[in-house]
Amino acid sequence: MVVIDPTLPIMELLKMAADNHHKRIELAEDEKRELIALLKKKAMDELEYGQEIELDTVRLIRRVTGAVGVYFT
């Protein structure tokens, strides 16, 4: 079982999301929702407006409007 800890840095959370996307780890649906929500919250707190972080196939974007999106390619 994967522990989604709110104290983990954004890059660790992005790696967890990418690993789940590539089926390297298995997350339950509620764990996926929790992970995405935590990524969005951390992006609101830590990223500047217009800043984007990408790791593997996951992009975390804080738009200039303040909206945050998590995208998988």
Short mmCIF file of all heavy atoms in Angstrom, two decimals:
data_model
loop_
_atom_site.label_atom_id
_atom_site.label_comp_id
_atom_site.label_asym_id
_atom_site.label_seq_id
_atom_site.Cartn_x
_atom_site.Cartn_y
_atom_site.Cartn_z
N MET A 1 0.83 -1.18 0.00
CA MET A 1 0.00 0.00 0.00
C MET A 1 0.88 1.24 0.00
O MET A 1 1.87 1.32 0.70
CB MET A 1 -0.91 -0.01 1.22
CG MET A 1 -1.80 1.19 1.30
SD MET A 1 -3.00 0.97 2.62
CE MET A 1 -3.78 2.53 2.51
N VAL A 2 0.48 2.22 -0.79
CA VAL A 2 1.22 3.47 -0.92
C VAL A 2 0.67 4.48 0.09
O VAL A 2 -0.54 4.61 0.24
CB VAL A 2 1.08 4.02 -2.35
CG1 VAL A 2 1.79 5.34 -2.48
CG2 VAL A 2 1.60 3.01 -3.35
N VAL A 3 1.58 5.17 0.76
CA VAL A 3 1.16 6.18 1.72
C VAL A 3 1.27 7.55 1.06
O VAL A 3 2.35 7.95 0.62
CB VAL A 3 2.05 6.13 2.99
CG1 VAL A 3 1.66 7.25 3.94
CG2 VAL A 3 1.93 4.78 3.65
N ILE A 4 0.14 8.25 0.98
CA ILE A 4 0.13 9.59 0.42
C ILE A 4 0.22 10.56 1.59
O ILE A 4 -0.75 10.82 2.27
CB ILE A 4 -1.14 9.82 -0.41
CG1 ILE A 4 -1.19 8.79 -1.55
CG2 ILE A 4 -1.17 11.23 -0.96
CD1 ILE A 4 -2.47 8.75 -2.31
N ASP A 5 1.43 11.05 1.80
CA ASP A 5 1.73 11.90 2.95
C ASP A 5 1.74 13.37 2.52
O ASP A 5 2.46 13.73 1.58
CB ASP A 5 3.10 11.50 3.50
CG ASP A 5 3.47 12.23 4.76
OD1 ASP A 5 2.70 13.09 5.22
OD2 ASP A 5 4.56 11.93 5.30
N PRO A 6 0.97 14.23 3.17
CA PRO A 6 0.93 15.65 2.80
C PRO A 6 2.26 16.38 2.95
O PRO A 6 2.44 17.46 2.40
CB PRO A 6 -0.11 16.25 3.75
CG PRO A 6 -0.86 15.13 4.31
CD PRO A 6 0.01 13.91 4.21
N THR A 7 3.21 15.78 3.67
CA THR A 7 4.51 16.43 3.85
C THR A 7 5.49 16.10 2.73
O THR A 7 6.57 16.68 2.68
CB THR A 7 5.14 16.04 5.20
OG1 THR A 7 5.37 14.63 5.22
CG2 THR A 7 4.24 16.44 6.35
N LEU A 8 5.12 15.19 1.82
CA LEU A 8 5.99 14.86 0.71
C LEU A 8 6.13 16.06 -0.23
O LEU A 8 5.17 16.80 -0.43
CB LEU A 8 5.44 13.68 -0.09
CG LEU A 8 5.51 12.30 0.56
CD1 LEU A 8 4.75 11.28 -0.28
CD2 LEU A 8 6.95 11.87 0.72
N PRO A 9 7.31 16.23 -0.82
CA PRO A 9 7.48 17.32 -1.79
C PRO A 9 6.69 17.06 -3.07
O PRO A 9 6.34 15.92 -3.39
CB PRO A 9 8.98 17.33 -2.07
CG PRO A 9 9.57 16.17 -1.38
CD PRO A 9 8.53 15.51 -0.55
N ILE A 10 6.43 18.13 -3.81
CA ILE A 10 5.66 18.03 -5.06
C ILE A 10 6.28 17.01 -6.01
O ILE A 10 5.57 16.23 -6.62
CB ILE A 10 5.54 19.40 -5.76
CG1 ILE A 10 4.55 20.28 -5.02
CG2 ILE A 10 5.10 19.25 -7.20
CD1 ILE A 10 4.36 21.66 -5.63
N MET A 11 7.60 17.01 -6.14
CA MET A 11 8.24 16.10 -7.10
C MET A 11 8.01 14.64 -6.72
O MET A 11 7.83 13.80 -7.60
CB MET A 11 9.74 16.41 -7.21
CG MET A 11 10.03 17.77 -7.82
SD MET A 11 9.19 18.06 -9.41
CE MET A 11 10.19 17.08 -10.49
N GLU A 12 7.99 14.32 -5.44
CA GLU A 12 7.71 12.95 -5.01
C GLU A 12 6.27 12.56 -5.34
O GLU A 12 5.99 11.44 -5.77
CB GLU A 12 7.96 12.79 -3.51
CG GLU A 12 9.41 12.80 -3.12
CD GLU A 12 10.15 11.57 -3.62
OE1 GLU A 12 9.60 10.46 -3.57
OE2 GLU A 12 11.29 11.74 -4.07
N LEU A 13 5.36 13.50 -5.14
CA LEU A 13 3.95 13.25 -5.47
C LEU A 13 3.76 13.08 -6.98
O LEU A 13 3.00 12.22 -7.43
CB LEU A 13 3.07 14.37 -4.92
CG LEU A 13 3.04 14.51 -3.40
CD1 LEU A 13 2.36 15.80 -3.00
CD2 LEU A 13 2.38 13.30 -2.76
N LEU A 14 4.46 13.90 -7.76
CA LEU A 14 4.39 13.75 -9.22
C LEU A 14 4.94 12.40 -9.65
O LEU A 14 4.39 11.77 -10.55
CB LEU A 14 5.18 14.88 -9.91
CG LEU A 14 4.50 16.23 -9.99
CD1 LEU A 14 5.45 17.27 -10.56
CD2 LEU A 14 3.24 16.15 -10.82
N LYS A 15 6.03 11.95 -9.02
CA LYS A 15 6.60 10.64 -9.35
C LYS A 15 5.59 9.54 -9.03
O LYS A 15 5.42 8.59 -9.80
CB LYS A 15 7.90 10.40 -8.60
CG LYS A 15 8.52 9.04 -8.94
CD LYS A 15 9.87 8.88 -8.35
CE LYS A 15 10.52 7.56 -8.65
NZ LYS A 15 9.76 6.52 -9.25
N MET A 16 4.91 9.68 -7.90
CA MET A 16 3.89 8.70 -7.52
C MET A 16 2.76 8.67 -8.57
O MET A 16 2.31 7.60 -8.97
CB MET A 16 3.33 9.06 -6.15
CG MET A 16 2.50 7.99 -5.50
SD MET A 16 1.88 8.49 -3.88
CE MET A 16 3.39 8.84 -3.00
N ALA A 17 2.34 9.84 -9.02
CA ALA A 17 1.28 9.92 -10.04
C ALA A 17 1.75 9.31 -11.36
O ALA A 17 1.01 8.57 -12.02
CB ALA A 17 0.85 11.37 -10.25
N ALA A 18 3.00 9.58 -11.74
CA ALA A 18 3.54 9.01 -12.97
C ALA A 18 3.68 7.49 -12.86
O ALA A 18 3.35 6.76 -13.80
CB ALA A 18 4.90 9.64 -13.29
N ASP A 19 4.14 7.01 -11.72
CA ASP A 19 4.27 5.56 -11.52
C ASP A 19 2.91 4.88 -11.59
O ASP A 19 2.80 3.79 -12.16
CB ASP A 19 4.93 5.26 -10.17
CG ASP A 19 6.42 5.56 -10.17
OD1 ASP A 19 7.00 5.77 -11.25
OD2 ASP A 19 7.01 5.59 -9.07
N ASN A 20 1.90 5.50 -11.05
CA ASN A 20 0.56 4.93 -11.14
C ASN A 20 0.07 4.94 -12.59
O ASN A 20 -0.53 3.98 -13.05
CB ASN A 20 -0.42 5.70 -10.25
CG ASN A 20 -1.80 5.12 -10.32
OD1 ASN A 20 -2.05 4.02 -9.86
ND2 ASN A 20 -2.71 5.86 -10.93
N HIS A 21 0.35 6.02 -13.30
CA HIS A 21 -0.07 6.13 -14.70
C HIS A 21 0.57 5.03 -15.55
O HIS A 21 -0.07 4.50 -16.46
CB HIS A 21 0.30 7.52 -15.24
CG HIS A 21 -0.17 7.79 -16.62
ND1 HIS A 21 -1.49 7.95 -16.93
CD2 HIS A 21 0.52 7.91 -17.78
CE1 HIS A 21 -1.62 8.17 -18.23
NE2 HIS A 21 -0.40 8.14 -18.76
N HIS A 22 1.81 4.70 -15.25
CA HIS A 22 2.52 3.65 -15.99
C HIS A 22 2.33 2.26 -15.39
O HIS A 22 3.01 1.31 -15.78
CB HIS A 22 4.02 3.96 -16.04
CG HIS A 22 4.34 5.12 -16.92
ND1 HIS A 22 4.13 5.12 -18.27
CD2 HIS A 22 4.86 6.34 -16.62
CE1 HIS A 22 4.51 6.27 -18.78
NE2 HIS A 22 4.96 7.03 -17.79
N LYS A 23 1.46 2.14 -14.39
CA LYS A 23 1.14 0.86 -13.74
C LYS A 23 2.32 0.26 -12.98
O LYS A 23 2.39 -0.93 -12.77
CB LYS A 23 0.61 -0.16 -14.75
CG LYS A 23 -0.52 0.32 -15.61
CD LYS A 23 -1.79 0.42 -14.82
CE LYS A 23 -2.94 0.74 -15.76
NZ LYS A 23 -3.85 1.72 -15.29
N ARG A 24 3.26 1.10 -12.55
CA ARG A 24 4.36 0.62 -11.72
C ARG A 24 3.91 0.42 -10.28
O ARG A 24 4.47 -0.39 -9.55
CB ARG A 24 5.53 1.61 -11.76
CG ARG A 24 6.19 1.69 -13.11
CD ARG A 24 7.35 2.68 -13.08
NE ARG A 24 7.60 3.14 -14.43
CZ ARG A 24 7.73 4.41 -14.79
NH1 ARG A 24 7.67 5.37 -13.89
NH2 ARG A 24 7.95 4.73 -16.05
N ILE A 25 2.93 1.24 -9.87
CA ILE A 25 2.30 1.06 -8.57
C ILE A 25 0.79 1.08 -8.79
O ILE A 25 0.31 1.57 -9.80
CB ILE A 25 2.70 2.17 -7.55
CG1 ILE A 25 2.24 3.54 -8.03
CG2 ILE A 25 4.16 2.12 -7.23
CD1 ILE A 25 2.39 4.64 -6.99
N GLU A 26 0.07 0.52 -7.86
CA GLU A 26 -1.40 0.44 -7.96
C GLU A 26 -2.02 1.30 -6.87
O GLU A 26 -1.77 1.08 -5.68
CB GLU A 26 -1.83 -1.02 -7.80
CG GLU A 26 -3.28 -1.25 -8.11
CD GLU A 26 -3.60 -1.16 -9.59
OE1 GLU A 26 -2.73 -1.49 -10.40
OE2 GLU A 26 -4.73 -0.76 -9.91
N LEU A 27 -2.81 2.28 -7.28
CA LEU A 27 -3.53 3.12 -6.33
C LEU A 27 -5.03 2.86 -6.47
O LEU A 27 -5.53 2.72 -7.58
CB LEU A 27 -3.27 4.60 -6.59
CG LEU A 27 -1.86 5.12 -6.37
CD1 LEU A 27 -1.76 6.59 -6.76
CD2 LEU A 27 -1.44 4.95 -4.92
N ALA A 28 -5.71 2.81 -5.35
CA ALA A 28 -7.17 2.70 -5.36
C ALA A 28 -7.74 4.04 -5.85
O ALA A 28 -7.05 5.06 -5.82
CB ALA A 28 -7.68 2.37 -3.96
N GLU A 29 -8.99 4.03 -6.27
CA GLU A 29 -9.61 5.25 -6.79
C GLU A 29 -9.60 6.38 -5.77
O GLU A 29 -9.31 7.53 -6.12
CB GLU A 29 -11.05 4.97 -7.24
CG GLU A 29 -11.15 4.24 -8.56
CD GLU A 29 -10.47 4.98 -9.71
OE1 GLU A 29 -10.67 6.21 -9.85
OE2 GLU A 29 -9.74 4.32 -10.46
N ASP A 30 -9.86 6.09 -4.51
CA ASP A 30 -9.84 7.14 -3.50
C ASP A 30 -8.43 7.67 -3.27
O ASP A 30 -8.23 8.85 -3.00
CB ASP A 30 -10.48 6.67 -2.19
CG ASP A 30 -9.80 5.47 -1.58
OD1 ASP A 30 -9.25 4.65 -2.32
OD2 ASP A 30 -9.83 5.33 -0.33
N GLU A 31 -7.42 6.80 -3.40
CA GLU A 31 -6.03 7.24 -3.27
C GLU A 31 -5.65 8.14 -4.44
O GLU A 31 -4.93 9.13 -4.26
CB GLU A 31 -5.09 6.04 -3.22
CG GLU A 31 -5.21 5.23 -1.94
CD GLU A 31 -4.38 3.96 -1.97
OE1 GLU A 31 -4.30 3.31 -3.03
OE2 GLU A 31 -3.82 3.62 -0.92
N LYS A 32 -6.12 7.81 -5.64
CA LYS A 32 -5.86 8.66 -6.81
C LYS A 32 -6.46 10.04 -6.62
O LYS A 32 -5.81 11.05 -6.88
CB LYS A 32 -6.43 8.03 -8.08
CG LYS A 32 -5.73 6.79 -8.53
CD LYS A 32 -6.42 6.22 -9.75
CE LYS A 32 -6.01 4.79 -10.01
NZ LYS A 32 -6.74 4.18 -11.12
N ARG A 33 -7.70 10.09 -6.15
CA ARG A 33 -8.36 11.38 -5.91
C ARG A 33 -7.60 12.18 -4.85
O ARG A 33 -7.41 13.39 -4.99
CB ARG A 33 -9.81 11.17 -5.50
CG ARG A 33 -10.72 10.80 -6.65
CD ARG A 33 -12.18 10.87 -6.25
NE ARG A 33 -12.54 9.87 -5.24
CZ ARG A 33 -12.90 8.62 -5.51
NH1 ARG A 33 -12.95 8.22 -6.76
NH2 ARG A 33 -13.21 7.79 -4.54
N GLU A 34 -7.18 11.50 -3.79
CA GLU A 34 -6.42 12.16 -2.73
C GLU A 34 -5.10 12.71 -3.25
O GLU A 34 -4.71 13.83 -2.93
CB GLU A 34 -6.17 11.17 -1.58
CG GLU A 34 -5.42 11.76 -0.42
CD GLU A 34 -5.11 10.75 0.67
OE1 GLU A 34 -5.57 9.59 0.59
OE2 GLU A 34 -4.39 11.12 1.62
N LEU A 35 -4.42 11.94 -4.08
CA LEU A 35 -3.14 12.35 -4.66
C LEU A 35 -3.32 13.59 -5.55
O LEU A 35 -2.56 14.56 -5.43
CB LEU A 35 -2.51 11.21 -5.45
CG LEU A 35 -1.20 11.49 -6.17
CD1 LEU A 35 -0.12 11.93 -5.19
CD2 LEU A 35 -0.75 10.26 -6.95
N ILE A 36 -4.32 13.58 -6.41
CA ILE A 36 -4.57 14.70 -7.31
C ILE A 36 -4.94 15.94 -6.50
O ILE A 36 -4.46 17.05 -6.76
CB ILE A 36 -5.68 14.37 -8.33
CG1 ILE A 36 -5.23 13.21 -9.24
CG2 ILE A 36 -6.05 15.59 -9.15
CD1 ILE A 36 -4.00 13.47 -10.06
N ALA A 37 -5.80 15.78 -5.49
CA ALA A 37 -6.19 16.91 -4.64
C ALA A 37 -4.99 17.50 -3.92
O ALA A 37 -4.85 18.73 -3.81
CB ALA A 37 -7.26 16.47 -3.66
N LEU A 38 -4.11 16.64 -3.42
CA LEU A 38 -2.92 17.09 -2.72
C LEU A 38 -1.97 17.82 -3.67
O LEU A 38 -1.39 18.85 -3.32
CB LEU A 38 -2.22 15.91 -2.04
CG LEU A 38 -1.02 16.24 -1.16
CD1 LEU A 38 -1.38 17.26 -0.09
CD2 LEU A 38 -0.49 14.97 -0.52
N LEU A 39 -1.80 17.29 -4.88
CA LEU A 39 -0.96 17.96 -5.88
C LEU A 39 -1.50 19.36 -6.18
O LEU A 39 -0.74 20.33 -6.25
CB LEU A 39 -0.90 17.15 -7.17
CG LEU A 39 0.12 16.02 -7.21
CD1 LEU A 39 -0.11 15.13 -8.41
CD2 LEU A 39 1.53 16.58 -7.23
N LYS A 40 -2.80 19.48 -6.34
CA LYS A 40 -3.40 20.78 -6.64
C LYS A 40 -3.22 21.75 -5.47
O LYS A 40 -2.91 22.92 -5.67
CB LYS A 40 -4.88 20.62 -6.98
CG LYS A 40 -5.10 20.00 -8.35
CD LYS A 40 -6.58 19.92 -8.66
CE LYS A 40 -6.81 19.41 -10.07
NZ LYS A 40 -8.24 19.41 -10.42
N LYS A 41 -3.41 21.26 -4.26
CA LYS A 41 -3.26 22.12 -3.08
C LYS A 41 -1.82 22.61 -2.96
O LYS A 41 -1.56 23.78 -2.73
CB LYS A 41 -3.67 21.37 -1.81
CG LYS A 41 -3.55 22.21 -0.56
CD LYS A 41 -3.83 21.42 0.68
CE LYS A 41 -3.70 22.21 1.95
NZ LYS A 41 -2.55 23.08 2.06
N LYS A 42 -0.87 21.69 -3.13
CA LYS A 42 0.55 22.07 -3.02
C LYS A 42 0.92 23.05 -4.13
O LYS A 42 1.70 23.98 -3.90
CB LYS A 42 1.45 20.84 -3.07
CG LYS A 42 1.47 20.09 -1.75
CD LYS A 42 2.62 19.12 -1.74
CE LYS A 42 2.93 18.67 -0.36
NZ LYS A 42 3.82 19.54 0.37
N ALA A 43 0.37 22.86 -5.33
CA ALA A 43 0.66 23.78 -6.43
C ALA A 43 0.14 25.18 -6.10
O ALA A 43 0.81 26.18 -6.38
CB ALA A 43 0.03 23.27 -7.72
N MET A 44 -1.04 25.26 -5.50
CA MET A 44 -1.60 26.56 -5.10
C MET A 44 -0.69 27.25 -4.08
O MET A 44 -0.50 28.46 -4.13
CB MET A 44 -3.00 26.38 -4.50
CG MET A 44 -4.05 25.95 -5.49
SD MET A 44 -4.48 27.21 -6.68
CE MET A 44 -5.40 28.32 -5.65
N ASP A 45 -0.11 26.47 -3.19
CA ASP A 45 0.73 27.01 -2.13
C ASP A 45 2.16 27.32 -2.57
O ASP A 45 2.76 28.28 -2.10
CB ASP A 45 0.79 26.05 -0.94
CG ASP A 45 -0.55 25.86 -0.25
OD1 ASP A 45 -1.46 26.71 -0.44
OD2 ASP A 45 -0.71 24.85 0.47
N GLU A 46 2.68 26.51 -3.49
CA GLU A 46 4.13 26.57 -3.76
C GLU A 46 4.51 27.10 -5.14
O GLU A 46 5.64 27.56 -5.31
CB GLU A 46 4.74 25.18 -3.58
CG GLU A 46 4.60 24.66 -2.15
CD GLU A 46 5.14 23.26 -1.98
OE1 GLU A 46 5.94 22.80 -2.81
OE2 GLU A 46 4.76 22.60 -0.99
N LEU A 47 3.63 27.02 -6.11
CA LEU A 47 3.99 27.47 -7.46
C LEU A 47 3.57 28.91 -7.68
O LEU A 47 2.57 29.38 -7.13
CB LEU A 47 3.33 26.58 -8.52
CG LEU A 47 3.71 25.10 -8.53
CD1 LEU A 47 3.02 24.40 -9.70
CD2 LEU A 47 5.20 24.91 -8.61
N GLU A 48 4.34 29.59 -8.52
CA GLU A 48 4.00 30.96 -8.91
C GLU A 48 2.95 30.90 -10.02
O GLU A 48 2.80 29.89 -10.71
CB GLU A 48 5.25 31.67 -9.45
CG GLU A 48 6.38 31.77 -8.45
CD GLU A 48 6.07 32.68 -7.30
OE1 GLU A 48 5.35 33.68 -7.50
OE2 GLU A 48 6.52 32.39 -6.17
N TYR A 49 2.23 31.99 -10.21
CA TYR A 49 1.27 32.07 -11.31
C TYR A 49 2.00 31.85 -12.62
O TYR A 49 3.05 32.42 -12.87
CB TYR A 49 0.58 33.44 -11.33
CG TYR A 49 -0.37 33.64 -10.17
CD1 TYR A 49 0.00 34.40 -9.07
CD2 TYR A 49 -1.62 33.06 -10.19
CE1 TYR A 49 -0.87 34.59 -8.01
CE2 TYR A 49 -2.50 33.23 -9.12
CZ TYR A 49 -2.12 34.00 -8.04
OH TYR A 49 -2.99 34.17 -6.99
N GLY A 50 1.46 30.97 -13.46
CA GLY A 50 2.05 30.67 -14.75
C GLY A 50 3.16 29.62 -14.71
O GLY A 50 3.68 29.24 -15.75
N GLN A 51 3.50 29.12 -13.54
CA GLN A 51 4.57 28.13 -13.42
C GLN A 51 4.05 26.73 -13.74
O GLN A 51 2.90 26.40 -13.48
CB GLN A 51 5.16 28.15 -12.01
CG GLN A 51 6.40 27.30 -11.86
CD GLN A 51 7.03 27.43 -10.48
OE1 GLN A 51 6.55 28.16 -9.62
NE2 GLN A 51 8.10 26.70 -10.28
N GLU A 52 4.94 25.93 -14.30
CA GLU A 52 4.59 24.57 -14.71
C GLU A 52 5.73 23.64 -14.31
O GLU A 52 6.90 23.98 -14.45
CB GLU A 52 4.42 24.56 -16.23
CG GLU A 52 4.16 23.23 -16.83
CD GLU A 52 3.98 23.31 -18.34
OE1 GLU A 52 3.44 24.32 -18.82
OE2 GLU A 52 4.41 22.38 -19.03
N ILE A 53 5.37 22.46 -13.81
CA ILE A 53 6.34 21.42 -13.47
C ILE A 53 5.95 20.17 -14.25
O ILE A 53 4.78 19.81 -14.30
CB ILE A 53 6.35 21.11 -11.96
CG1 ILE A 53 6.74 22.33 -11.14
CG2 ILE A 53 7.30 19.95 -11.67
CD1 ILE A 53 6.66 22.09 -9.65
N GLU A 54 6.95 19.51 -14.82
CA GLU A 54 6.69 18.28 -15.56
C GLU A 54 7.64 17.20 -15.10
O GLU A 54 8.83 17.45 -14.91
CB GLU A 54 6.86 18.54 -17.06
CG GLU A 54 6.48 17.36 -17.91
CD GLU A 54 6.48 17.69 -19.38
OE1 GLU A 54 6.64 18.86 -19.74
OE2 GLU A 54 6.33 16.76 -20.19
N LEU A 55 7.11 16.01 -14.90
CA LEU A 55 7.92 14.85 -14.54
C LEU A 55 7.36 13.66 -15.29
O LEU A 55 6.19 13.32 -15.13
CB LEU A 55 7.88 14.59 -13.03
CG LEU A 55 8.66 13.36 -12.57
CD1 LEU A 55 10.16 13.67 -12.63
CD2 LEU A 55 8.28 12.96 -11.18
N ASP A 56 8.19 13.07 -16.13
CA ASP A 56 7.77 11.91 -16.92
C ASP A 56 6.56 12.29 -17.76
O ASP A 56 6.68 13.13 -18.64
CB ASP A 56 7.52 10.72 -16.00
CG ASP A 56 7.49 9.38 -16.72
OD1 ASP A 56 7.74 9.36 -17.94
OD2 ASP A 56 7.21 8.37 -16.07
N THR A 57 5.41 11.72 -17.49
CA THR A 57 4.22 12.00 -18.30
C THR A 57 3.19 12.84 -17.55
O THR A 57 2.04 12.95 -17.98
CB THR A 57 3.54 10.68 -18.72
OG1 THR A 57 3.19 9.96 -17.55
CG2 THR A 57 4.44 9.85 -19.60
N VAL A 58 3.59 13.45 -16.44
CA VAL A 58 2.65 14.24 -15.63
C VAL A 58 3.08 15.70 -15.63
O VAL A 58 4.25 16.01 -15.39
CB VAL A 58 2.61 13.71 -14.18
CG1 VAL A 58 1.58 14.48 -13.37
CG2 VAL A 58 2.30 12.23 -14.14
N ARG A 59 2.12 16.57 -15.92
CA ARG A 59 2.37 18.01 -15.88
C ARG A 59 1.46 18.64 -14.84
O ARG A 59 0.27 18.36 -14.80
CB ARG A 59 2.09 18.65 -17.24
CG ARG A 59 3.12 18.31 -18.25
CD ARG A 59 2.84 18.88 -19.62
NE ARG A 59 2.33 20.23 -19.57
CZ ARG A 59 1.57 20.76 -20.53
NH1 ARG A 59 1.24 20.06 -21.58
NH2 ARG A 59 1.13 21.99 -20.42
N LEU A 60 2.04 19.50 -14.02
CA LEU A 60 1.30 20.24 -13.00
C LEU A 60 1.45 21.71 -13.36
O LEU A 60 2.56 22.23 -13.43
CB LEU A 60 1.88 19.94 -11.61
CG LEU A 60 1.24 20.62 -10.42
CD1 LEU A 60 -0.23 20.17 -10.27
CD2 LEU A 60 2.00 20.29 -9.15
N ILE A 61 0.32 22.38 -13.61
CA ILE A 61 0.35 23.75 -14.09
C ILE A 61 -0.49 24.64 -13.18
O ILE A 61 -1.62 24.31 -12.86
CB ILE A 61 -0.22 23.84 -15.52
CG1 ILE A 61 0.59 22.96 -16.47
CG2 ILE A 61 -0.25 25.28 -16.01
CD1 ILE A 61 -0.02 22.82 -17.84
N ARG A 62 0.09 25.77 -12.80
CA ARG A 62 -0.68 26.81 -12.12
C ARG A 62 -0.81 27.96 -13.12
O ARG A 62 0.15 28.63 -13.44
CB ARG A 62 -0.01 27.29 -10.84
CG ARG A 62 -0.88 28.31 -10.14
CD ARG A 62 -0.43 28.62 -8.76
NE ARG A 62 -1.42 29.47 -8.10
CZ ARG A 62 -1.14 30.24 -7.07
NH1 ARG A 62 0.08 30.23 -6.55
NH2 ARG A 62 -2.07 30.99 -6.53
N ARG A 63 -1.98 28.12 -13.62
CA ARG A 63 -2.24 29.12 -14.64
C ARG A 63 -2.16 30.53 -14.06
O ARG A 63 -2.23 30.72 -12.84
CB ARG A 63 -3.62 28.89 -15.25
CG ARG A 63 -3.76 27.47 -15.78
CD ARG A 63 -4.42 27.47 -17.11
NE ARG A 63 -4.57 26.12 -17.63
CZ ARG A 63 -3.72 25.55 -18.47
NH1 ARG A 63 -2.68 26.22 -18.89
NH2 ARG A 63 -3.93 24.34 -18.91
N VAL A 64 -2.05 31.52 -14.95
CA VAL A 64 -1.97 32.92 -14.49
C VAL A 64 -3.28 33.34 -13.82
O VAL A 64 -3.30 34.30 -13.06
CB VAL A 64 -1.61 33.87 -15.65
CG1 VAL A 64 -0.21 33.61 -16.12
CG2 VAL A 64 -2.60 33.76 -16.78
N THR A 65 -4.35 32.61 -14.07
CA THR A 65 -5.63 32.90 -13.42
C THR A 65 -5.67 32.34 -12.00
O THR A 65 -6.58 32.63 -11.25
CB THR A 65 -6.78 32.28 -14.21
OG1 THR A 65 -6.61 30.86 -14.27
CG2 THR A 65 -6.87 32.86 -15.61
N GLY A 66 -4.70 31.47 -11.67
CA GLY A 66 -4.66 30.85 -10.36
C GLY A 66 -5.19 29.42 -10.36
O GLY A 66 -4.98 28.68 -9.41
N ALA A 67 -5.87 29.04 -11.44
CA ALA A 67 -6.38 27.67 -11.55
C ALA A 67 -5.21 26.69 -11.68
O ALA A 67 -4.18 27.01 -12.26
CB ALA A 67 -7.30 27.52 -12.76
N VAL A 68 -5.39 25.50 -11.12
CA VAL A 68 -4.35 24.48 -11.17
C VAL A 68 -4.88 23.27 -11.93
O VAL A 68 -6.02 22.85 -11.73
CB VAL A 68 -3.92 24.06 -9.74
CG1 VAL A 68 -2.94 22.90 -9.78
CG2 VAL A 68 -3.33 25.22 -8.99
N GLY A 69 -4.03 22.70 -12.79
CA GLY A 69 -4.41 21.52 -13.54
C GLY A 69 -3.32 20.46 -13.46
O GLY A 69 -2.13 20.77 -13.40
N VAL A 70 -3.75 19.21 -13.46
CA VAL A 70 -2.84 18.06 -13.49
C VAL A 70 -3.16 17.32 -14.77
O VAL A 70 -4.31 16.92 -15.00
CB VAL A 70 -3.02 17.14 -12.28
CG1 VAL A 70 -2.06 15.96 -12.35
CG2 VAL A 70 -2.84 17.90 -10.97
N TYR A 71 -2.16 17.13 -15.63
CA TYR A 71 -2.37 16.52 -16.93
C TYR A 71 -1.44 15.32 -17.12
O TYR A 71 -0.28 15.37 -16.75
CB TYR A 71 -2.11 17.53 -18.04
CG TYR A 71 -2.98 18.76 -17.92
CD1 TYR A 71 -2.52 19.89 -17.26
CD2 TYR A 71 -4.29 18.75 -18.40
CE1 TYR A 71 -3.33 21.01 -17.11
CE2 TYR A 71 -5.09 19.86 -18.27
CZ TYR A 71 -4.61 20.98 -17.62
OH TYR A 71 -5.43 22.07 -17.46
N PHE A 72 -1.99 14.27 -17.71
CA PHE A 72 -1.23 13.06 -18.01
C PHE A 72 -1.16 12.92 -19.52
O PHE A 72 -2.16 13.04 -20.21
CB PHE A 72 -1.94 11.82 -17.42
CG PHE A 72 -2.00 11.85 -15.91
CD1 PHE A 72 -3.06 12.47 -15.27
CD2 PHE A 72 -1.02 11.25 -15.16
CE1 PHE A 72 -3.13 12.50 -13.88
CE2 PHE A 72 -1.08 11.28 -13.77
CZ PHE A 72 -2.14 11.91 -13.14
N THR A 73 0.04 12.64 -20.03
CA THR A 73 0.19 12.47 -21.48
C THR A 73 0.49 11.04 -21.83
O THR A 73 0.82 10.24 -21.01
CB THR A 73 1.33 13.35 -22.02
OG1 THR A 73 2.54 13.07 -21.31
CG2 THR A 73 0.97 14.81 -21.88
#
